[in-house]
């Protein structure tokens, strides 16, 4: 079930962080983060892409309520979602990179397939 990891933050901070990370992932195609954050971002990103596959006003407004940039929502509905019309999930890939130098946190790259 997505959203069960607390990631060491209170609810508002965690939600804001995940919204920003999903926005950056959809904008840039890949981001580098910790493994646990990447797993949370994956579930939320896949829900956004699945929602965008059905292009209607309700889904656009739902996406606008979560994604923080309007041009990223447009890109999601116009460019990203049409690529995955035949796929039923598996839109993202997590590649583990090894420990971070400062605190030895396990790092990963999450990218759109």
């Amino acid at each position: 079930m997505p959203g069960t990891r607390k990631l060491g933050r209170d609810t508002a901070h965690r939600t804001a962080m995940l919204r920003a990370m999903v926005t950056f992932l959809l904008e840039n195609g890949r981001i580098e983060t910790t493994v646990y954050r990447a797993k949370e971002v994956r579930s939320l990103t896949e829900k956004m892409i699945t929602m965008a596959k059905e292009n209607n006003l309700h889904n656009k407004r739902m996406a606008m309520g979560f994604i923080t940039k309007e041009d990223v929502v447009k890109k999601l509905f116009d460019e990203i979602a049409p690529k995955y019309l035949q796929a039923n999930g598996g839109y993202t890939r997590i590649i583990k990179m090894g420990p971070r130098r400062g605190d030895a946190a396990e790092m990963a790259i999450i990218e759109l397939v």
Side-chain angles (χ1 to χ4, degrees), residues 11-28:
T11 305
H13 187 185
R14 182 173 58 248
T15 305
M17 178 190 69
L18 291 173
R19 287 177 63 192
M21 291 178 79
V22 168
T23 303
F24 294 145
L25 176 59
L26 292 173
E27 186 176 28
N28 301 323

Side-chain angles (χ1 to χ4, degrees), residues 45-54 59 81 88-89 91:
T45 302
E46 295 209 359
K47 285 183 178 190
M48 287 291 122
I49 293 173
T50 301
M51 186 172 56
K53 284 166 63 173
E54 186 179 342
N59 288 345
N88 291 324
Y91 314 125

Side-chain angles (χ1 to χ4, degrees), residues 82-101:
K83 289 194 289 189
Y84 300 112
L85 283 177
Q86 301 301 321
N88 291 324
Y91 314 125
T92 58
R93 171 189 306 141
I94 295 177
I95 303 167
K96 294 185 180 180
M97 294 177 23
R100 182 163 51 195
R101 183 174 168 89

Side-chain angles (χ1 to χ4, degrees), residues 33-95:
T33 184
T34 64
V35 172
Y36 297 109
R37 287 183 189 173
K39 288 179 180 180
E40 283 296 307
V41 169
R42 176 193 349 198
S43 67
L44 295 170
T45 302
E46 295 209 359
K47 285 183 178 190
M48 287 291 122
I49 293 173
T50 301
M51 186 172 56
K53 284 166 63 173
E54 186 179 342
N55 191 353
N56 58 32
L57 182 59
H58 176 68
N59 288 345
K60 283 185 180 179
R61 287 181 175 168
M62 293 289 288
M64 288 276 200
F66 189 80
I67 297 172
T68 59
K69 294 182 180 177
E70 192 172 328
D71 57 333
V72 176
V73 174
K74 182 167 176 44
K75 179 180 178 182
L76 172 65
F77 278 86
D78 295 343
E79 299 172 23
I80 297 171
K83 289 194 289 189
Y84 300 112
L85 283 177
Q86 301 301 321
N88 291 324
Y91 314 125
T92 58
R93 171 189 306 141
I94 295 177
I95 303 167

